Amino acid sequence: NIDPNKSPSANPAEVLSSAQGFLGYVIDGQYNVRSALWAQYWTWGPGVAIGNIERYVSDGTDYDNGWARMYSGSLADLDFVEKSDSKVHAGIAKIIKAYSFQLLVDHFGNIPFTEALSGATEGNFAPKYDNGQDVYNALIPLIDKGIALLGSNGTVGPEDFIYGGSVANWTKFANSLKLKILLRQANVKDVAAEVKALVAGGNFISSASDMAKIPFAGTSGNENPMYAAFERSLGLFYIASNSSLLHLQETNDPRLPAFYNVSTASKSYVGITQGSIDNEPFTNSKANYSVAGSIAYGKANDVILMSPWEVWFLRAEAAARYGTADNATTAFNSAIASNFTYLGVA
């Protein structure tokens, strides 16, 4: 009894696409929504009683989707690709794996790592939790193995949504990720020599052309995951937080219209002080407030894994901390300029 509609096998190209799709969902459909609240870009709006996240009130099931989709979706697929005969695909899989495990450690602390993903092969459905520092220690060697495989025979094409198989760009992403992993440990571990050597070698993400991102067309079935998650139910019910909105106004920041729309009722920028929805008039609706602009919320938006401005800020920090080959001020200004350019702001 073989189901003709279910293939018993798959090739690494197909599974790599699946892994990247799951990763896009996890980042934008899960973590970026919560980050917008924790960082106080967005706040709880009228009409919907979902204010627990911004008040740091969580229970054990609130993050199940992000956790499960990362492990049973993206990482399980990457594990398959990593073990395939296509070495170039395997190299890309190792780099994305390192990115994914670093994201999990940053969000959860200790996580399954050495015994993770062994359910299908070994029947281990209760893997041990590894210490977060031990996971971090294993990530750069994993990336280096990935970089080494990128030069193998074979080609990767459009199944790679992020870079279209560009070995040069995957190498830049890998080096940028290594710098991020090292600097995250700067206060608990001596990483000076490694950082200096890495920066001296150069070859990082530096412009929009080599930014690591997963594109979405904005068509049905191919919409940005954050947009799709909200619009299949109530729409985006969070609004502008005054923590960010007022700061942008007070500093005359030209990025304001890129981040927020004006209120449809008053045609001006109106936010809510974080967590104080109960103090707002009961009769107000979302139309009385500013909401996220199209840069932050849109059906055709890319899911950004690593941007040039993030990398330039990392390089600025590395120069300030360790006196690397970069100039800290130049790197810092490059970060700001690249962000403004991407947003289309003068």
Side-chain angles (χ1 to χ4, degrees):
N1 295 320
I2 299 174
D3 186 345
N5 296 320
K6 293 183 179 178
S7 173
S9 62
N11 65 54
E14 296 165 339
V15 182
L16 180 66
S17 297
S18 175
Q20 293 182 0
F22 273 117
L23 183 63
Y25 166 82
V26 169
I27 291 174
D28 225 32
Q30 296 290 309
Y31 296 120
N32 282 351
V33 175
R34 288 153 176 77
S35 297
L37 293 164
W38 291 333
Q40 300 190 12
Y41 297 124
W42 298 350
T43 187
W44 184 11
V48 178
I50 304 180
N52 279 351
I53 293 175
E54 71 173 340
R55 293 181 293 179
Y56 310 108
V57 177
S58 301
D59 63 41
T61 62
D62 283 345
Y63 308 100
D64 282 358
N65 275 341
W67 175 275
R69 296 287 180 95
M70 183 66 91
Y71 273 107
S72 65
S74 186
L75 282 169
D77 284 345
L78 292 169
D79 196 57
F80 175 90
V81 177
E82 188 181 14
K83 296 172 182 175
S84 72
D85 293 332
S86 175
K87 300 303 181 185
V88 182
H89 285 90
I92 292 172
K94 287 181 183 293
I95 294 167
I96 303 177
K97 243 184 159 180
Y99 177 92
S100 302
F101 276 120
Q102 189 253 336
L103 182 146
L104 285 167
V105 170
D106 282 5
H107 281 86
F108 294 102
N110 299 340
I111 61 167
F113 179 69
T114 54
E115 294 183 1
L117 313 174
S118 57
T121 56
E122 302 174 23
N124 180 6
F125 298 108
K128 73 173 184 179
Y129 280 63
D130 294 274
N131 180 275
Q133 182 64 63
D134 293 337
V135 178
Y136 255 66
N137 291 341
L139 295 183
I140 288 181
L142 180 61
I143 295 170
D144 286 337
K145 290 177 182 178
I147 293 174
L149 290 173
L150 292 178
S152 304
N153 291 332
T155 57
V156 179
E159 70 271 17
D160 170 19
F161 300 140
I162 299 172
Y163 282 133
S166 170
V167 169
N169 281 341
W170 273 112
T171 304
K172 291 179 181 181
F173 175 68
N175 287 330
S176 302
L177 180 58
K178 286 165 69 173
L179 182 61
K180 179 178 181 177
I181 290 169
L182 288 170
L183 287 175
R184 284 289 169 90
Q185 304 173 85
N187 291 328
V188 297
K189 183 180 178 182
D190 183 5
V191 295
E194 293 173 274
V195 170
K196 286 182 178 180
L198 185 62
V199 173
N203 204 21
F204 298 106
I205 292 171
S206 59
S207 66
S209 63
D210 47 29
M211 179 163 62
K213 62 184 182 181
I214 302 173
F216 289 87
T219 55
S220 178
N222 191 4
E223 294 173 324
N224 170 274
M226 180 191 293
Y227 180 90
F230 278 109
E231 295 300 324
R232 70 169 175 245
S233 57
L234 300 173
L236 181 63
F237 43 76
Y238 296 120
I239 63 170
S241 169
N242 279 336
S243 299
S244 298
L245 181 65
L246 294 181
H247 180 76
L248 290 167
Q249 289 178 317
E250 290 164 1
T251 56
N252 198 28
D253 194 312
R255 293 174 299 170
L256 176 61
F259 294 152
Y260 300 112
N261 292 329
V262 295
S263 157
T264 56
S266 66
K267 307 302 180 185
S268 59
Y269 292 104
V270 182
I272 293 179
T273 300
Q274 194 80 21
S276 68
I277 182 64
D278 291 342
N279 297 330
E280 297 296 308
F282 182 74
T283 54
N284 278 7
S285 68
K286 189 171 73 171
N288 295 101
Y289 303 100
S290 296
V291 297
S294 59
I295 290 289
Y297 184 76
K299 60 183 178 180
N301 284 3
D302 300 328
V303 173
I304 298 174
L305 308 186
M306 206 165 194
S307 65
W309 50 93
E310 177 184 4
V311 178
W312 279 116
F313 277 131
L314 289 170
R315 292 174 66 173
E317 179 185 348
R321 281 182 181 272
Y322 304 118
T324 64
D326 283 328
N327 177 278
T329 301
T330 301
F332 188 81
N333 289 336
S334 295
I336 296 171
S338 67
N339 180 251
F340 275 57
T341 299
Y342 178 80
L343 295 175
V345 176

